[in-house]
Amino acid sequence: MNPPYISQVIPVVLPDFSGVCFQCEFDPELYTIEAPRQLGIILPETLHSAVKKRQAEYVAGRYLAKRCLSALGGTEADVGISQHRAPLWPKGMIGSISHSSNKAICVLSQCDLPEQGIGIDIEQCLTDSTATSIKKTIINEAEQALLTKHYVDFSTGLTVIFSAKESLFKALFPQVRAYFDFLDAEVIAMERDNLTIMLKRTLTSTLSAGCKFTVQIYKQNMMVRTFTQS
């Protein structure tokens, strides 16, 4: 049974993906300190003093991770958090968690190689003022021209690119094991339901400058979801 603060738990079908994905809505105002224990989730010490919303989104994401593990036939193990704040998945599994506003999503798949990765991200569309203030940290001039060509609303287009690069970072993290900049990857092509990102600099011996990745795009109302596999 879902705790009262979590609702609308539904499976999500992702094109060309063999794993599982669940999303939910959550209400931080209904979150209680009993929720982690009720769900068998260990709240990291770093979050014990966090605001209610941060705890609520963490627990919602880990709850979905348990649902995904169960759907794949595995045990509903607690998914911890690494020193880089990335989820610690059971051996033989790769996954990704994201949350924005009052929504959370988790995607999970079995893997054969340690360098495999998947990345999912959801974002509430940026406001016009926020998009204008951060655009130089997210996109270069060529990307801005491409964005303007495909999106009438600049803030929505920038949200899509921001989210896509977040998904790529998550997918590549198992190999890179370090943060890289938004401008280290460039969107070189955009379609209605996907875009192509190319690395601008070499990240590892197998992730060299010029490597390209396809990122799926899904937009609904004021929310954007992106997903990619490496």
Side-chain angles (χ1 to χ4, degrees):
M1 181 180 295
N2 301 340
Y5 92 99
I6 292 178
S7 63
Q8 304 295 319
V9 181
I10 59 173
V12 176
V13 177
L14 299 171
D16 304 316
F17 177 60
S18 59
V20 295
C21 181
F22 282 92
Q23 71 176 29
C24 72
E25 295 185 6
F26 62 92
D27 185 347
E29 294 303 315
L30 297 179
Y31 175 83
T32 69
I33 59 174
E34 296 298 318
R37 180 186 60 79
Q38 293 170 349
L39 296 172
I41 294 168
I42 300 172
L43 192 69
E45 286 193 19
T46 54
L47 293 182
H48 285 181
S49 59
V51 297
K52 182 185 288 190
K53 182 180 186 299
R54 177 67 187 104
Q55 292 186 5
E57 63 190 18
Y58 178 90
V59 174
R62 264 48 184 189
Y63 170 73
L64 293 180
K66 283 178 173 285
R67 291 289 296 265
C68 286
L69 285 167
S70 178
L72 280 182
T75 57
E76 293 188 6
D78 182 67
V79 176
I81 187 170
S82 73
Q83 61 179 348
H84 298 288
R85 298 178 62 190
L88 292 171
W89 301 103
K91 186 177 180 180
M93 298 283 187
I94 52 173
S96 182
I97 299 172
S98 182
H99 37 71
S100 180
S101 187
N102 67 331
K103 299 182 185 296
I105 194 166
C106 178
V107 61
L108 187 72
S109 177
Q110 296 177 331
C111 71
D112 300 317
L113 302 171
E115 63 268 20
Q116 285 181 286
I118 52 179
I120 200 161
D121 186 73
I122 54 173
E123 300 288 342
Q124 187 169 29
C125 283
L126 297 167
T127 63
D128 292 342
S129 59
T130 299
T132 299
S133 65
I134 69 171
K135 68 177 182 179
K136 290 184 179 180
T137 65
I138 307 300
I139 57 174
N140 59 30
E141 291 183 1
E143 289 173 303
Q144 181 163 343
L146 190 63
L147 184 163
T148 303
K149 178 180 177 182
H150 287 271
Y151 288 90
V152 174
D153 182 58
F154 178 81
S155 57
T156 298
L158 188 66
T159 304
V160 168
I161 292 181
F162 176 90
S163 181
K165 290 187 178 185
E166 283 283 337
S167 287
L168 181 65
F169 169 81
K170 293 177 182 180
L172 298 186
F173 188 79
Q175 297 180 65
V176 181
R177 291 289 171 183
Y179 294 101
F180 54 92
D181 194 80
F182 281 108
L183 298 178
D184 290 331
E186 179 180 345
V187 176
I188 59 172
M190 300 186 79
E191 302 294 339
R192 187 179 66 84
D193 57 0
N194 68 78
L195 55 75
T196 303
I197 301 181
M198 182 180 71
L199 294 181
K200 296 286 286 182
R201 73 176 178 91
T202 296
L203 301 177
T204 71
S205 59
T206 56
L207 292 172
S208 58
C211 285
K212 298 176 184 177
F213 304 88
T214 299
V215 182
Q216 297 174 13
I217 303 167
Y218 177 77
K219 300 189 298 297
Q220 186 176 44
N221 300 325
M222 295 300 291
M223 297 295 296
V224 170
R225 182 186 77 220
T226 58
F227 172 72
T228 190
Q229 307 177 69
S230 65

